[in-house]
Amino acid sequence: RLRLHDGKLIKDRRYHLRTYPNCFVAKELTDWLIDHKEAPDRQTGIRLMQKLMDHYIIHHVCDEHSDYKDAKLLYRFRKDDGTFPLSKDVKVFMRGQSLYEKLVSVEGSILKVREENSVKYQRAFLGCELVEWLVQEGEAESRREAVELGRALLEHGIIQHVSNRHHFFDSDVLYQFWINFRRRRRLTELLSENPSRALAESPDSPFCLRKLNPDPGNTSFLSVQPNKEIKIVSAVRRSSITSLAGNSNPYFGVTPTLVFPPVAECNPKSVLKRPVTNEELLSPGAPYIKKMLTIVGDAVGWGFVVRGGRPCHIQAVDPGGPAAAAGMKVCQFVLSVNGMYVLHLDYQTISSLIMTGPRTLVMEVMEAIE
């Protein structure tokens, strides 16, 4: 919306002797989506705008059309005419976004690298510091009102206790913003809300071995070598070892040109030197550091394998994939996926969360301190 205002696509327009403020022409907007790489073609652009209509974000200026038509019709963002439905959830989200932007832009911000139980957390803050800051900045009239705001932010998943054990308190308990408001979100993420396939078809995590060349005599796992030939697979999205190794798969546009060993087991020996429990990970003084990873999936997936359970760990990482670029490493433990605490889950459930979630994956992991 803001980009369209800056580009003058949203402006007052006159039609049949009547002026319609702050509106855009559907056909012009579809052209803009393609020109600015927000949509690959007109059909996708129409689907994206229909999604915005379905979510009451845009509408026809006279509400004469319930669907988005790629024509010389006038539409408007509901936020520009005061008809956007501000539910409690939306209000809390917008308040959280406003506070986050204010906190990250000021000098001497309370958002700092902090440590708790020998684990370091980025952009963390104490509950009492946030309460004091809210009162000082006029965001709350009293400490009690500030605590109520903090609790609302936590209950709506905008902030959280660093180990997800406490509600919000006016004390020296450590919290973090859970949502990265500054991540560039792309409209096409709206079209990936529904799961592409059932977990039963592929119990493995979303991982595509794009560089396949098994070591001689090793039939237990497909190795990933960055210096080997890259095989091209058409129309693959969020694949796994199991789906690639099958003889038939409806998600392949053509028969894949991949060579596999006679036997390729999907449950190789764990890369962990020894089993690790949740209690050990979270115990005071444990030699682990907490990291937040934002992984933007490419055309074939995210590029990693998760295994085990309670806790799960990273079994393999494609050196040339998005996960490796985001800082993921073998032997890291999975703490949360897209805001959901997962230490108590097995790898099949975590794989389902990943495959049915958005293309941009936000994960918290625990990594051993070397």
Side-chain angles (χ1 to χ4, degrees):
R1 170 178 161 270
L2 295 178
R3 292 169 68 195
L4 294 175
H5 272 287
D6 291 340
K8 307 300 182 184
L9 263 76
I10 295 179
K11 59 185 179 181
D12 296 351
R13 299 177 185 268
R14 193 168 180 81
Y15 182 73
H16 284 181
L17 303 180
R18 180 179 173 182
T19 299
Y20 296 90
N22 293 323
C23 58
F24 59 86
V25 178
K27 190 175 185 303
E28 292 180 3
L29 179 55
T30 309
D31 293 337
W32 184 92
L33 290 172
I34 297 173
D35 292 342
H36 289 76
K37 311 299 183 185
E38 291 289 350
D41 49 53
R42 303 195 76 83
Q43 182 179 4
T44 304
I46 295 170
R47 290 173 60 202
L48 289 170
M49 291 301 102
Q50 186 61 51
K51 275 279 188 178
L52 296 188
M53 289 195 71
D54 295 342
H55 286 78
Y56 300 99
I57 294 173
I58 65 173
H59 68 125
H60 181 255
V61 290
C62 298
D63 291 318
E64 294 178 353
H65 301 278
S66 59
D67 54 352
Y68 182 84
K69 298 182 182 295
D70 186 22
K72 292 184 178 181
L73 295 175
L74 299 181
Y75 291 82
R76 183 187 292 131
F77 279 84
R78 289 187 178 274
K79 198 168 182 181
D80 284 332
D81 62 10
T83 61
F84 183 67
L86 286 175
S87 65
K88 181 182 178 181
D89 292 343
V90 173
K91 288 179 180 178
V92 173
F93 180 89
M94 294 176 68
R95 185 72 182 278
Q97 183 177 26
S98 173
L99 293 174
Y100 179 84
E101 291 295 339
K102 195 171 181 179
L103 281 166
V104 298
S105 60
V106 298
E107 290 187 14
S109 174
I110 62 174
L111 303 183
K112 303 175 182 177
V113 178
R114 300 174 187 265
E115 185 173 325
E116 182 176 282
N117 296 330
S118 299
V119 179
K120 291 184 179 179
Y121 301 94
Q122 300 290 329
R123 290 188 173 180
F125 57 91
L126 299 177
C128 57
E129 289 182 336
L130 180 63
V131 169
E132 186 173 344
W133 181 84
L134 289 171
V135 175
Q136 288 180 350
E137 295 296 317
E139 297 287 348
E141 294 184 359
S142 63
R143 296 189 77 90
R144 179 178 178 180
E145 183 179 314
V147 171
E148 291 176 355
L149 175 56
R151 286 181 165 258
L153 294 175
L154 188 143
E155 290 168 1
H156 285 76
I158 295 170
I159 66 173
Q160 73 158 21
H161 177 247
V162 291
S163 59
N164 206 22
R165 292 181 174 180
H166 301 289
H167 211 307
F168 184 81
F169 296 102
D170 184 4
S171 65
D172 58 354
V173 178
L174 201 58
Y175 300 89
Q176 278 181 311
F177 271 87
W178 189 238
I179 297 177
N180 180 6
F181 287 104
R182 290 196 167 185
R183 178 177 72 81
R184 171 71 182 278
R185 290 164 173 81
R186 303 200 67 85
L187 282 174
T188 49
E189 292 181 28
L190 290 171
L191 302 181
S192 61
E193 290 180 345
N194 297 323
S196 59
R197 54 182 166 173
L199 176 64
E201 296 182 17
S202 176
D204 298 294
S205 60
F207 175 56
C208 178
L209 292 172
R210 290 169 291 174
K211 309 175 185 68
L212 302 175
N213 190 36
D215 294 334
N218 179 9
T219 60
S220 63
F221 190 61
L222 300 178
S223 64
V224 182
Q225 301 292 340
N227 59 340
K228 302 299 180 182
E229 179 184 1
I230 298 178
K231 303 292 184 179
I232 298 176
V233 181
S234 299
V236 179
R237 177 79 175 99
R238 301 183 179 186
S239 298
S240 67
I241 301 172
T242 299
S243 61
L244 286 176
N247 293 327
S248 62
N249 191 320
Y251 293 92
F252 284 113
V254 295
T255 303
T257 56
L258 300 175
V259 179
F260 290 87
V263 179
E265 298 173 6
C266 294
N267 292 300
K269 183 179 179 181
S270 173
V271 294
L272 299 178
K273 295 181 180 179
R274 63 176 181 82
V276 176
T277 64
N278 288 339
E279 291 73 19
E280 183 179 347
L281 277 178
L282 301 175
S283 64
Y288 296 96
I289 186 172
K290 182 179 178 183
K291 291 186 176 181
M292 180 80 75
L293 307 177
T294 300
I295 308 168
V296 181
D298 59 17
V300 293
W302 294 275
F304 68 94
V305 169
V306 61
R307 279 292 180 272
R310 304 175 185 88
C312 289
H313 64 273
I314 302 303
Q315 175 75 10
V317 178
D318 180 352
M328 180 172 283
K329 301 176 183 177
V330 170
C331 294
Q332 290 174 334
F333 294 95
V334 183
L335 182 64
S336 69
V337 174
N338 293 329
M340 181 175 178
Y341 185 75
V342 298
L343 274 181
H344 60 294
L345 301 178
D346 55 28
Y347 79 89
Q348 291 97 336
T349 306
I350 292 179
S351 297
S352 177
L353 290 173
I354 294 172
M355 287 196 295
T356 59
R359 180 182 177 188
T360 299
L361 178 64
V362 179
M363 293 181 64
E364 269 189 309
V365 296
M366 300 284 284
E367 178 181 310
I369 299 175
E370 297 181 357

